[in-house]
Amino acid sequence: MPQRILLMSSAPNAATQRAALALGGHGHQVRTAVVADAADMARAVAANDFDLIICPYLTTAIPADIYQHHRTVIIHPGPVGDRGPASLDWALTEGHTRWGVTAIGAVAEMDAGPIWAWRTVAVQYPQTKSTLYNTVIADAAIECILETAAHAEDPGFTPTDQADAPRPVPGARTRPPMRYQDRQVPWTAPGATILARIHTADGSPGLRAELAGHTFHLYDAHPGRNQVSAEPGTIIGRRHHGIEIACGAKETIWVGHLRARTRNSTTCKGPATSVLAHLGVDLDHVPVAEGFDDDIVYHRDGDIATLTVTAYNGALTTGQCHRLADALHTADQQDTDVLVLRGGTGHFFLTGIHLGAIELAPDPAAEGWDNIRAINRVCYALLNCRQITIAAITGNAGAGGVALPLSADVVAARRRATLSPAYQPMGLTGSELHTLTLPHRVGPATARELLETAQALDTTTGHEIGLLDHIGPDDNTEFDRWLDELAHRYATGSLHEQTLHRKAARLASLAKPPSAYEAAELAAMAEDFFADRHHFHSRRQRFLRVGPGTHTPRRPHVLAGH
């Protein structure tokens, strides 16, 4: 018998969205409550309209009067026997190659309750905490959540006492919170050491470090050069929005995003050069260096070309949009038959314009305007490409990140991806030619519903309504092989000819040119940016302060989730 399930979460993040979609897909009735404290939890359970409480992302301890009267299960991002609020931080710091997820009944002692379900996963390196959580850990969590719901339907099921449960990961134990001192590493350390420390804190809280006379949290780090003679901890290069920092062993690293700590406040997380400019740090004397170009990579294999874009947390800066549009134009000039636009191996595909860069700009409205017009260049380049275009959504996508791939001829997605098409939660009406491409795929009524209800979709639903053409596997190697096979199918034979015919017919049937759709969208967006009619600026600031879906928790009873 399907269960009535209350999902209790500290934020409306990707983990909770995915759990709700998975449970609903299995016939359960799901209600989600976002709670900040015990009072919120009391209000959430007052209606008593549920059979089971599952907490996929919770940073606040559950009061005894809730778990003593209601079946309450915590999803913990650690294997059986692991306890503590910094599970993934310690797992990566200690270099574990196997980890896990456990569904634990809530009791007074943290993470000590009986076990409803558990899974183990392989951990590959290099690895960032946010990507680990949002991929294999999230996959295992969904399996545990579905198994927990199935057990709740069985009146004969009894969860297993931890003392009697298997311990599949050696060394699982109680660990304390991870403190600043536990992460600390000097700039004189080798670049690989510093990179690994940044990776363990990526998402939240970031690696705290002193740089250019200020205190920052570092994110989005990549290997740099060797044999560089410079004082460790100094900025010696810049390129696009990234900065190159000297380390020990004559090495460097690149850092793409920062969050600044000042005496009275902190900035939002944003592009490194934007954060530094916001603090008045002059980078004009820093030379432009090679080495921060791997966010947009072109590869050709015979008749198939692939353009891979990797945007941190899925957000595209104005500069990235222009570079991606230029790359698409260049790719269109080649003699290939199929062009694949795909994301990287991270947990996000695209989420549209870069809210952090907009917030940090001297004139946020003007920066938002520039950013949306730049991302529209990408959509035009995809829409007008002479080749067959395949957009491959490799991770979660939101707002403009859902609309942008719809300009392609074929849209595919990794199975685990969650799609959130609506712009409205951020106080925007949106652009990216969505008024042309979204109704074309799903029909005007469904397009309106997707934009107005602000509901997330799983890929199965996306395929059923016509938003997606194909769904691929989750494993990176399997997905890459599947996508390559898909591209080759569209490169030859009748499917190639049929797709080219549909492409030409699609553009020929338009009642008005794409520029007319864009003009109407931009007229509305001008009101959003400059008149702030839907409170974009306050909503953006609130979102950036609370943190997006990649924020990972540091307190008890959690599965952490931009």
Side-chain angles (χ1 to χ4, degrees):
M1 177 178 174
Q3 298 290 292
R4 299 174 303 161
I5 298 174
L6 170 64
L7 288 180
M8 209 151 56
S9 170
S10 292
N13 72 336
T16 308
Q17 282 184 338
R18 189 174 171 194
L21 290 169
L23 289 166
H26 280 72
H28 301 289
Q29 299 177 30
V30 183
R31 180 167 66 88
T32 299
V34 177
V35 297
D37 51 30
D40 283 348
M41 293 185 200
R43 284 189 288 269
V45 305
N48 200 27
D49 57 349
F50 54 87
D51 305 305
L52 174 68
I53 302 173
I54 300 178
C55 304
Y57 170 68
L58 200 61
T59 62
T60 304
I62 299 173
D65 61 351
I66 291 181
Y67 64 72
Q68 288 174 355
H69 294 90
H70 306 281
R71 290 187 297 180
T72 305
V73 179
I74 307 300
I75 307 301
H76 175 69
V80 178
D82 175 81
R83 299 181 188 177
S87 181
L88 296 183
D89 306 69
W90 287 114
L92 292 175
T93 299
E94 295 173 356
H96 285 268
T97 56
R98 291 200 66 78
W99 205 239
V101 174
T102 314
I104 306 173
V107 296
E109 185 179 352
M110 183 179 67
D111 303 329
I115 295 172
W116 285 66
W118 59 271
R119 295 290 189 278
T120 58
V121 301
V123 182
Q124 299 178 341
Y125 293 86
Q127 183 68 261
T128 67
K129 183 176 67 169
S130 54
T131 296
L132 174 64
Y133 163 71
N134 282 286
T135 53
V136 294
I137 291 292
D139 294 345
I142 295 301
E143 292 182 11
C144 286
I145 288 170
L146 293 175
E147 183 176 332
T148 295
H151 286 324
E153 296 180 62
D154 180 4
F157 173 77
T158 301
T160 304
D161 189 281
Q162 287 209 27
D164 302 324
R167 299 294 178 96
V169 176
R173 62 189 186 277
T174 301
R175 290 175 173 82
M178 182 166 279
R179 303 162 300 173
Y180 159 66
Q181 293 87 344
D182 297 317
R183 304 184 192 273
Q184 195 171 16
V185 60
W187 283 115
T188 53
T193 300
I194 298 173
L195 278 176
R197 291 295 179 90
I198 296 175
H199 290 342
T200 65
D202 200 83
S204 177
L207 182 67
R208 184 174 170 180
E210 301 297 319
L211 185 68
H214 298 274
T215 302
F216 296 95
H217 292 266
L218 280 57
Y219 313 86
D220 184 22
H222 309 271
R225 294 178 287 170
N226 298 318
Q227 302 302 315
V228 176
S229 296
E231 181 69 22
T234 58
I235 301 173
I236 65 168
R238 59 186 171 94
R239 187 168 183 82
H240 307 313
H241 65 269
I243 56 172
E244 186 181 22
I245 308 170
C247 308
K250 295 186 176 181
E251 296 175 343
T252 70
I253 64 169
W254 284 94
V255 172
H257 282 72
L258 299 171
R259 180 166 60 88
R261 294 173 61 98
T262 64
R263 178 172 298 179
N264 300 317
S265 65
T266 61
T267 68
C268 67
K269 186 189 300 183
T273 54
S274 298
V275 174
L276 290 165
H278 186 76
L279 295 181
V281 177
D282 182 12
L283 294 179
D284 288 345
H285 67 285
V286 177
V288 176
E290 299 295 325
F292 196 69
D293 289 309
D294 59 354
D295 58 336
I296 300 174
V297 177
Y298 178 85
H299 174 74
R300 177 172 177 169
D301 180 12
D303 294 332
I304 310 296
T306 301
L307 196 58
T308 302
V309 55
T310 304
Y312 184 69
N313 284 350
L316 289 167
T317 66
T318 300
Q320 279 178 305
C321 290
H322 285 306
R323 288 191 291 118
L324 181 55
D326 291 344
L328 282 166
H329 285 304
T330 300
D332 188 28
Q333 301 306 310
Q334 311 309 308
D335 60 346
T336 51
D337 293 321
V338 174
L339 174 60
V340 179
L341 175 65
R342 59 163 295 167
T345 58
H347 52 286
F348 273 106
F349 171 60
L350 294 174
T351 55
I353 58 179
H354 201 303
L355 300 179
I358 293 169
E359 175 66 19
L360 292 162
D363 185 341
E367 176 59 29
W369 182 249
D370 289 343
N371 204 166
I372 198 68
R373 290 189 300 160
I375 203 170
N376 282 358
R377 281 194 65 214
V378 179
C379 298
Y380 271 115
L382 199 55
L383 184 70
N384 294 321
C385 183
R386 297 173 301 168
Q387 305 168 29
I388 291 176
T389 53
I390 301 175
I393 300 173
T394 51
N396 294 343
V402 176
L404 185 152
L406 302 185
S407 289
D409 305 315
V410 180
V411 183
R414 195 188 300 266
R415 184 167 300 278
R416 72 160 69 97
T418 298
L419 312 175
S420 303
Y423 299 88
Q424 177 269 338
M426 199 52 60
L428 297 173
T429 49
S431 192
E432 291 94 1
L433 301 180
H434 77 275
T435 56
L436 165 62
T437 58
L438 185 58
H440 172 79
R441 281 200 157 262
V442 304
T446 301
R448 185 164 52 252
E449 181 182 358
L450 290 174
L451 295 173
E452 292 178 355
T453 61
Q455 294 296 309
L457 306 173
D458 57 22
T459 52
T460 299
T461 304
H463 184 262
E464 290 173 350
I465 66 175
L467 197 67
L468 303 175
D469 299 300
H470 305 280
I471 301 175
D474 286 330
D475 178 79
N476 286 333
T477 300
E478 292 179 7
F479 182 83
D480 290 348
R481 184 183 302 117
W482 173 86
L483 183 58
D484 182 64
E485 292 173 355
L486 181 69
H488 278 86
R489 283 169 50 198
Y490 277 95
T492 58
S494 60
L495 186 57
H496 179 78
E497 297 303 321
Q498 292 168 8
T499 306
L500 284 176
H501 177 74
R502 286 198 304 269
K503 181 188 186 82
R506 173 190 181 189
L507 294 175
S509 66
L510 295 178
K512 53 186 178 182
S515 59
Y517 291 90
E518 184 196 25
E521 292 171 1
L522 290 181
M525 288 290 279
E527 294 291 314
D528 296 338
F529 287 136
F530 298 106
D532 200 23
R533 59 176 176 173
H534 297 308
H535 310 292
F536 166 64
H537 297 297
S538 60
R539 292 189 186 201
R540 178 191 71 244
Q541 290 163 357
R542 186 162 56 248
F543 174 79
L544 292 169
R545 181 171 63 249
V546 173
T550 54
H551 173 71
T552 50
R554 293 167 284 162
R555 296 189 61 185
H557 299 319
V558 297
L559 176 60
H562 124 256

